[in-house]
């Protein structure tokens, strides 16, 4: 017991150094569409199962962007910044939210059956992507 108390006391004495505060700096958030190119994706579901699509945004945030019934299509609204070669989504305040990845999968098992949607940085115009999901996987072209 005596050794445990010494260990806990020693461990706690190191804690303040390990938990030092991080200085936060104000950053400028880009808003609106000035300088951006509209790059919507028409997503067609050619399969027999509904699709659920998600955008992985910067900083480990994800957003559901489309639910597409079998045989239907939906538009995913994206913008492209030619200066940074990045795709963004706009939130309600029109903040530019960088898109790191976009994927679709079978509704109810979207993550397990997902397929990445191509986001080519050299051709950012409107595009059409056709997907089909099964119980085990999803394909998108």
């Amino acid at each position: 017991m005596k050794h445990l108390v010494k260990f806990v006391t020693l461990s706690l004495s190191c804690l303040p150094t390990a938990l030092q505060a991080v200085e936060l700096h104000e950053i400028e958030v880009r808003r609106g569409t000035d300088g951006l190119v509209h790059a919507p994706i028409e997503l067609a579901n050619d399969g027999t199962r509904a699709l659920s699509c998600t955008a992985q945004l910067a900083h480990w945030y994800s957003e559901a962007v489309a639910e597409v019934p079998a045989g239907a299509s939906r538009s995913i609204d994206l913008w492209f910044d030619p200066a940074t070669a990045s795709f963004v989504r706009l939130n309600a305040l029109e903040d530019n939210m960088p898109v790191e990845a976009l994927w679709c999968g079978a509704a109810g098992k979207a993550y397990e059956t997902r397929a990445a949607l191509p986001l080519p940085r050299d051709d950012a115009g409107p595009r059409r992507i056709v997907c089909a999901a099964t119980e085990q996987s999803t394909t998108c072209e």
Side-chain angles (χ1 to χ4, degrees), residues 23-29:
E23 184 177 348
L24 299 177
H25 299 278
E26 188 173 330
I27 61 168
E28 184 178 326
V29 176

Side-chain angles (χ1 to χ4, degrees), residues 7-94:
F7 175 75
V8 170
T9 303
L10 179 60
S11 297
L12 290 176
S13 68
C14 295
L15 206 53
T17 304
L19 294 178
Q20 290 181 1
V22 174
E23 184 177 348
L24 299 177
H25 299 278
E26 188 173 330
I27 61 168
E28 184 178 326
V29 176
R30 184 170 175 180
R31 286 204 168 115
T33 59
D34 286 346
L36 302 179
V37 176
H38 197 214
I41 295 175
E42 179 191 351
L43 184 64
N45 184 349
D46 198 28
T48 58
R49 292 187 55 130
L51 291 171
S52 180
C53 302
T54 301
Q56 180 182 328
L57 305 175
H59 309 294
W60 307 285
Y61 178 74
S62 63
E63 174 188 14
V65 294
E67 295 290 327
V68 189
S73 62
R74 297 287 185 270
S75 181
I76 299 173
D77 202 31
L78 292 179
W79 294 85
F80 182 75
D81 183 350
T84 61
S86 61
F87 286 90
V88 298
R89 288 203 27 98
L90 303 179
N91 65 13
L93 298 174
E94 291 196 344

Side-chain angles (χ1 to χ4, degrees), residues 77-128:
D77 202 31
L78 292 179
W79 294 85
F80 182 75
D81 183 350
T84 61
S86 61
F87 286 90
V88 298
R89 288 203 27 98
L90 303 179
N91 65 13
L93 298 174
E94 291 196 344
D95 293 336
N96 289 203
M97 309 291 287
V99 176
E100 294 180 349
L102 190 61
W103 50 267
C104 294
K109 292 179 64 176
Y111 189 79
E112 297 87 350
T113 62
R114 72 191 178 279
L117 301 183
L119 293 174
R121 310 291 179 185
D122 58 346
D123 178 23
R127 71 188 73 251
R128 184 173 194 268

